[in-house]
């Protein structure tokens, strides 16, 4: 019986050129993300800034999209900081596209929840926008910033290791969605 293969046992000659290069660059990119995040955390600890951002709740058949960032230990959702002049739905649509490859018009994202967290040594003012989709979208992750993404049922999600902001949103969603 042949031994099972995994990513570590594939030789570079067995991998298409672009994928082989990606296997070299992905771990370096993840290290860069972790290093930048660690430096940001130090800065936030010293400065205690106020930040504004958006998270996107994508729902399909009672399940919500969660993801794992390479530089954080807790699960999160697609999201990030505003660009100058962006509305919450515009920011959410951009982050969905950048982080999981899902293209969505800002007009379909509705603002449903706002909270402030200090888990990362900053006053993080976060707006949650959400959308219900009829079909589960195909997710495309870069394996650099985002290393995993999947739709998880709400009760299971609430038992996972979530960021405090995401947990607050999901608890609110549980009450709203009944």
């Amino acid at each position: 019986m042949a031994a099972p293969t995994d990513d570590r046992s594939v030789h570079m000659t067995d991998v298409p050129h672009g994928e082989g290069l990606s296997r070299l660059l992905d771990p370096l990119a993840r290290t860069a993300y972790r290093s930048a995040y660690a430096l940001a955390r130090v800065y936030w600890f010293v400065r205690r800034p106020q930040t504004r951002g958006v998270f996107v709740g994508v729902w399909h058949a009672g399940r919500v999209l969660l993801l794992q960032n390479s530089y954080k230990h807790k699960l999160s959702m697609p999201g990030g900081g505003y660009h100058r002049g962006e509305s919450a739905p515009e920011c959410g649509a951009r982050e969905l596209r950048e982080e999981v490859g899902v293209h969505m018009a800002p007009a379909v994202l509705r603002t449903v929840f706002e909270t402030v967290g200090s888990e990362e040594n900053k006053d993080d003012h976060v707006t949650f926008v959400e959308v219900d989709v009829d079909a589960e979208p195909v997710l495309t992750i870069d394996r650099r910033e985002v290393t995993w993404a999947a739709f998880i049922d709400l009760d299971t999600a609430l038992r996972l290791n979530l960021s405090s902001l995401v947990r607050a949103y999901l608890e609110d969603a549980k009450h709203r969605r009944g």
Side-chain angles (χ1 to χ4, degrees):
M1 179 173 187
T5 60
D6 63 17
D7 290 346
R8 293 177 305 255
S9 65
V10 176
H11 298 286
M12 296 306 287
T13 56
D14 298 329
V15 178
H17 175 69
E19 203 172 314
L21 182 59
S22 186
R23 287 180 193 263
L24 292 173
L25 296 179
D26 290 352
L28 294 174
R30 288 190 294 268
T31 299
Y33 274 110
R34 282 190 295 273
S35 298
Y37 181 68
L39 289 173
R41 293 283 306 254
V42 170
Y43 172 79
W44 296 333
F45 181 78
V46 172
R47 299 294 304 202
R48 304 287 180 177
Q50 288 190 4
T51 59
R52 289 183 54 233
V54 171
F55 280 115
V56 184
V58 180
W59 294 86
H60 171 64
R63 297 176 302 140
V64 65
L65 176 61
L66 295 179
L67 59 80
Q68 179 70 59
N69 293 105
S70 60
Y71 50 92
K72 293 183 178 182
H73 297 292
K74 296 182 178 184
L75 295 176
S76 191
M77 302 172 95
Y82 287 91
H83 285 179
R84 186 180 310 273
E86 275 185 324
S87 67
E90 289 168 335
C91 180
R94 177 180 50 78
E95 290 293 340
L96 267 176
R97 187 176 56 256
E98 291 174 359
E99 294 188 1
V100 292
V102 173
H103 294 262
M104 191 134 329
V108 303
L109 299 173
R110 61 190 178 280
T111 301
V112 293
F113 185 72
E114 293 188 7
T115 190
V116 178
S118 58
E119 183 174 59
E120 296 181 317
N121 302 317
K122 58 182 177 168
D123 288 330
D124 203 3
H125 298 255
V126 178
T127 300
F128 283 83
V129 296
E130 69 180 16
V131 62
D132 290 277
V133 294
D134 293 330
E136 185 174 314
V138 174
L139 305 175
T140 305
I141 60 172
D142 64 7
R143 296 183 304 191
R144 294 176 180 187
E145 180 183 9
V146 177
T147 58
W148 173 87
F151 283 84
I152 307 292
D153 73 88
L154 183 54
D155 289 330
T156 300
L158 286 168
R159 291 191 301 269
L160 298 174
N161 187 22
L162 303 168
S163 78
S164 62
L165 296 167
V166 169
R167 181 170 302 284
Y169 162 73
L170 291 178
E171 288 171 351
D172 178 74
K174 186 168 182 148
H175 295 292
R176 281 186 295 110
R177 292 173 166 267

